[in-house]
Amino acid sequence: MGRLVVVSNRVGPMKDTGKAGGLAVALVDALTSSGGLWFGWSGKISEEGTFGPFQQQKTKSVQLVQIDMNQADHDSFYAGYANRTLWPVLHYRLDLAVFDRAFENGYRHVNERFASRLHPLLQQDDFVWVHDYHFMPLAATLRQMEVKVPIGFFLHIPFPAPEVLAALPNAGALIRTMLAYDVIGFQTSRDAANFRRFVVDELGGTKGAGGVVKLQDRQVLVKAYPIGIDAEAFAQFPATPDAQRNSARLAKQLAGRRQIVGVDRIDYTKGLPERFRAFARLLEDYPENQGQVSLMQVAPPSRAELDAYIDIRRELEGLTGHVNSRFSQLDWTPIRFLARAFPRRVLAGIYRSSHVGLVTPLRDGMNLVAKEYVAAQAPEDPGVLVLSRFAGAAEGMPEAISVNPYSDEDVARGLQRALTMPLDERRARWQPMFDRLCREDAKNWSSSFVADLMASRREVGASLTAA
Ligand code: GDG
C-alpha cells in the first residue's frame, strides 16, 4: 500500500485528541495506518515564505511539513480569494462576496507555490488527498508538473447550485481545473449532484455510471462522503473529571431550570442573529418559558481580520443586550453569549447539561456540532437536537427536529416542541442517531474516501488547466 499525503490549509495537531477536532483525529488516523505526509500552511507569516520547521513524528511514521506565507500571499489568497470570495459564494452569500482580480491571481499563485513545494516530496506510489476550498486548483497545477499519482479532493463546505456559482467570475475555468482530480468528495449527495450538474450544464461534460463525470479525456468519481466524528470518544467525554466539574457548576447555576445550547465559530453562515431572534420569539410566543429556559451560546471568534466577522460579533452583542434587558428577571438571564473557546471536554459537559442543542446555520457543509451534541447525551435521558434543514448534517439526521433558520416562528415552534417532548420520544429519536454516528464515524469517513482514491487509476492524458 502506498503512502498517504494529506494537503490542508492548516496542519495538525497530532497529539491530544481531546483538543483536536474530528477532522484532525480522522486524518491522523488515516495517516498513521498507511504512514504518510501532512502538508500545509504553518499559520505563520514570514517575508521569505520559506519552509517552516520540518517536524517529524517518528513513532507514528507521519511527517508534518509546513510552509509559511508572506503577507501579500496571505492577504490575497487566505483573507482574499479563499475567505472573501469562495467562502461566501459557496455558502450562497453572493451579497457578501468580493470579486477582485488581485485575489484571484493571489489564489492561483499560492496554489502554484504549494504545488511546487510539494512536488519534490512526492514518491511514485503515493496517494494525495487535498482538503477544502483553499486548494481547488492544486491537482491541475501538480499535473502540469507531470505528477501522475492519484489525487483526491474533499470539499468541507457546501457546493452551491450552478445558478449561484455561475455568478463567480471565471467559475467555469476554476471548476474545470478540478477535473484533474481522480476522486472529488462532498459532504452531501446534494452537493455532489450540484457539482455534476455544473460540469454537465456549464462545461458541456457528461454523466457516467456510479456518480462519474466525464469531460474530454477526464473521468472523475464525484461522490458524497459525509464527515463523521469520533462518536465513541465524544460519548465518553462527559464522564471525564474536567467535564463533570464544569457540568456541576452549570447545574448549580441553572438550579433546575433548562438550557438550550449553541456552539459555533462566529461566522455569518451560522445563522446566529437569526437564532437569537428566534429565541426571543420563543419567549414571546410561549411565555411559560420566561424565567425557565435560557440560551447559552458559545462562540469562539474566527477570521477577526475580516470586516464581515467583526460586524456579526457587534450585532450579536447588541442583540444579547436587547433581549436580556427586555426579558431578564432578578435571578434569570435569558441569553448568555460567551465569545470564547472552551476545551473539548468542557464543551461535552455543556452539551450534556443542555436540554436542547440548537444548530441553525443558514448554510453549512456538514456541521459537526450537531453530531457532537447527540454523541454527548446521556442515553437514559437524552436532549433534543433542533437542526437547520440547510446544514449538511440534516441529510443524515432525520430524527432531529428540522427547522427553517430564516423563520423565527418556525425555530421557536421547533424549540417549544423539543422542550415539551416526552422522554420516550426523546429516546426513540436519539438512539438511531447515536447508532448511526458510531457506524459512520470519522474513521469510516476517511477510510472510505481513501479506499476510493486507491481504487481510482489515473488515466494518463493531457492535463486540464484553467486555460
Ligand atoms: C467546516 C465546515 C464541516 C467550536 N467551538 C469550540 C470548539 N468548536 C469545534 C466544534 C466542532 C468544530 O469546532 C466546528 O465544526 P463545524 O462543523 O460545526 O463548523 P466549521 O468550523 O465551519 O467547519 C463544516 C466541518 O468543516 C468539517 O468538515 O462540518 O460544515 O464549515 O468540532 O466542537 N472546540 C473547542 N472549543 C470551542 O469553544 N475545543
Side-chain angles (χ1 to χ4, degrees):
M1 192 169 88
R3 194 175 66 144
L4 180 64
V5 175
V6 169
V7 181
S8 62
N9 185 49
R10 296 300 302 272
V11 172
M14 291 289 291
K15 293 188 193 130
D16 190 3
T17 49
K19 276 195 190 137
L23 173 63
V25 175
L27 293 178
V28 168
D29 198 72
L31 282 162
T32 46
S33 66
S34 61
L37 173 74
W38 194 349
F39 183 84
W41 177 36
S42 62
K44 294 195 196 99
I45 310 249
S46 70
E47 272 328 295
E48 314 80 48
T50 52
F51 273 99
F54 194 98
Q55 300 174 40
Q56 185 123 21
Q57 306 266 326
K58 290 198 184 78
T59 47
K60 291 187 167 178
S61 67
V62 178
Q63 285 179 357
L64 302 182
V65 178
Q66 298 169 302
I67 63 174
D68 297 352
M69 247 183 255
N70 65 34
Q71 190 68 48
D73 286 350
H74 174 269
D75 293 351
S76 59
F77 162 81
Y78 180 76
Y81 200 74
N83 285 319
R84 280 193 176 96
T85 309
L86 287 176
W87 178 269
V89 170
L90 296 182
H91 285 91
Y92 292 72
R93 290 301 297 272
L94 296 177
D95 58 322
L96 293 176
V98 177
F99 302 127
D100 181 329
R101 172 75 64 82
F103 288 178
E104 207 180 324
N105 291 341
Y107 184 72
R108 195 180 324 111
H109 169 73
V110 170
N111 268 273
E112 282 163 8
R113 225 169 62 78
F114 270 71
S116 58
R117 296 299 180 121
L118 178 60
H119 183 205
L121 305 174
L122 291 177
Q123 299 167 6
Q124 212 176 4
D125 57 350
D126 283 348
F127 295 89
V128 181
W129 187 7
V130 178
H131 288 260
D132 233 0
Y133 59 103
H134 312 90
F135 297 118
M136 286 157 84
L138 196 74
T141 313
L142 287 168
R143 297 291 183 219
Q144 286 171 333
M145 299 168 181
E146 298 298 317
V147 172
K148 298 278 196 289
V149 301
I151 312 179
F153 177 82
F154 184 79
L155 185 68
H156 289 262
I157 66 177
F159 192 88
E163 294 77 6
V164 173
L165 189 56
L168 172 73
N170 304 322
L174 177 68
I175 302 308
R176 209 180 163 79
T177 64
M178 290 178 72
L179 298 173
Y181 290 104
D182 298 290
V183 179
I184 303 183
F186 294 95
Q187 298 277 25
T188 67
S189 54
R190 175 176 313 199
D191 296 322
N194 282 341
F195 182 85
R196 285 186 213 108
R197 200 148 66 81
F198 192 97
V199 171
V200 172
D201 294 355
E202 300 284 331
L203 303 181
T206 53
K207 285 185 194 168
V212 165
V213 291
K214 300 179 186 178
L215 184 70
Q216 293 159 357
D217 64 328
R218 293 295 304 142
Q219 274 208 52
V220 183
L221 175 63
V222 175
K223 196 170 145 183
Y225 302 85
I227 192 168
I229 60 168
D230 189 358
E232 267 150 32
F234 223 91
Q236 306 301 321
F237 283 161
T240 58
D242 241 12
Q244 285 195 332
R245 204 171 32 252
N246 286 281
S247 301
R249 275 174 71 187
L250 246 177
K252 194 170 158 209
Q253 195 269 340
L254 284 171
R257 290 176 295 233
R258 289 184 299 167
Q259 171 168 284
I260 298 166
V261 71
V263 174
D264 311 73
R265 285 184 302 101
I266 298 189
D267 193 299
Y268 53 79
T269 61
K270 301 292 184 184
L272 292 167
E274 292 79 0
R275 184 181 309 172
F276 285 17
R277 284 191 209 101
F279 176 69
R281 169 67 67 178
L282 172 81
L283 299 178
E284 268 171 32
D285 288 1
Y286 309 92
E288 63 272 30
N289 294 307
Q290 292 182 24
Q292 295 303 319
V293 178
S294 55
L295 170 65
M296 175 183 275
Q297 179 64 52
V298 174
S302 69
R303 304 178 196 165
E305 71 268 37
L306 306 190
D307 289 345
Y309 289 74
I310 298 168
D311 294 349
I312 196 106
R313 178 171 178 167
R314 287 219 187 93
E315 187 180 357
L316 292 170
E317 286 164 355
L319 273 167
T320 304
H322 183 72
V323 175
N324 284 348
S325 58
R326 180 164 164 215
F327 292 103
S328 280
Q329 299 179 3
L330 279 179
D331 59 348
W332 173 76
T333 307
I335 299 184
R336 280 190 299 149
F337 174 41
L338 298 97
R340 51 164 287 201
F342 289 88
R344 279 176 84 67
R345 289 185 171 80
V346 175
L347 215 54
I350 299 176
Y351 289 141
R352 180 163 299 194
S353 312
S354 303
H355 301 79
V356 178
L358 184 55
V359 178
T360 54
L362 304 177
R363 286 286 159 185
D364 218 330
M366 177 56 64
N367 196 295
L368 296 178
V369 171
K371 298 191 170 185
E372 292 165 0
Y373 176 78
V374 169
Q377 295 308 297
E380 63 285 359
D381 187 16
V384 182
L385 175 65
V386 174
L387 178 60
S388 162
R389 54 176 296 171
F390 303 120
E395 202 171 271
M397 302 179 99
E399 299 85 0
I401 294 193
S402 170
V403 294
N404 171 7
Y406 291 93
S407 162
D408 59 352
E409 276 182 21
D410 194 48
V411 175
R413 205 179 307 121
L415 283 172
Q416 179 66 2
R417 194 160 160 223
L419 289 162
T420 53
M421 189 179 286
L423 178 60
D424 54 351
E425 186 182 346
R426 284 192 274 128
R427 280 196 189 139
R429 285 172 181 264
W430 176 80
Q431 191 70 54
M433 284 198 277
F434 182 70
D435 294 345
R436 211 175 297 123
L437 288 182
C438 294
R439 266 195 324 271
E440 296 164 16
D441 66 357
K443 287 181 186 166
N444 177 268
W445 167 75
S446 59
S447 57
S448 37
F449 187 94
V450 171
D452 282 350
L453 183 59
M454 289 187 166
S456 76
R457 276 192 318 269
R458 164 108 182 106
E459 315 267 323
V460 183
S463 57
L464 282 160
T465 67

